[in-house]
Amino acid sequence: MSATAAPLPPETQAFRDGMSRLGAAVNLVTTDGPAGRHGLTVSAVCSVTDTPPTLLVCINANAFAHDAFLKNGVLCVNVLNADHQELSRSFAKWTGEDRFAGGAWTQDGTGAPVLSGASASFDCRIVDHQRKGTHTVLFCEVQATTLCDGPGGGLIWFNRGFHTLGTSA
C-alpha cells in the first residue's frame, strides 16, 4: 500500500502557480569542503546588498546536499547561460551519477566549484542562515565574482519550463 500526499490547500496551490510565473535565473549552486563536493540547481537567488556584496540563496531543507552546504560553509552561485540547460537538469535531481562530469570546473578562493563558461560566478562564504518553512535561507558574502562574455543568452525558469534570453544590442 503506497502513501499518497494530502491535497494542498487551495491557497498553497494558487501561490505555487503564481510563483511559477515569476521568471528567475537558473543557477548551479556548488560547494566543496569537509562534507564533500555537492551541487544543486537553484532559482531562488537574490542580491541583498553590495556593501559588503551579499547574496541570499534558498535551499530546500530536504535536499540531499542541504547539510553539506551548512557544514562546508562555502558555496559558488554559477549563473547559467542558454547552453547549460542539460547540465541544469542533471543537477536538478539525484540520480547517483557524477553530475560534475558534465562541465568544466575550477576553484576560486573558497574552494567551491566554479563552472567555466557560466555567465557569472559568485564565490561565497556562508555568513548566516535561517530556516523558514521548508527552506533554509543562506546569507552569503561574495569573495570573488567571475564574468564570462561568451555566446548565448541567459537561462531562465518561467512557467515551469526553461526559456532563454538574448543578449542586448
Side-chain angles (χ1 to χ4, degrees), residues 24-131:
V26 181
N27 310 281
L28 295 185
V29 180
T30 57
T31 188
D32 201 354
R37 188 179 194 195
H38 297 280
L40 300 168
T41 299
V42 175
S43 61
V45 173
C46 181
S47 170
V48 175
T49 181
D50 66 354
T51 310
T54 305
L55 302 175
L56 67 78
V57 177
C58 300
I59 297 179
N60 189 310
N62 291 322
F64 71 94
H66 175 271
D67 293 347
F69 281 94
L70 295 177
K71 288 176 185 169
N72 287 343
V74 299
L75 61 77
C76 185
V77 175
N78 297 283
V79 182
L80 301 185
N81 64 46
D83 296 334
H84 292 130
Q85 190 170 349
E86 286 308 311
L87 189 59
S88 170
R89 286 184 203 280
S90 70
F91 274 78
K93 59 187 174 197
W94 175 246
T95 61
E97 68 189 50
D98 178 10
R99 294 182 270 182
F100 287 93
W105 302 91
T106 63
Q107 291 180 338
D108 218 331
T110 70
V114 177
L115 177 63
S116 298
S119 293
S121 295
F122 301 95
D123 191 39
C124 303
R125 295 205 178 279
I126 301 169
V127 295
D128 198 6
H129 68 277
Q130 181 174 348
R131 178 79 181 260

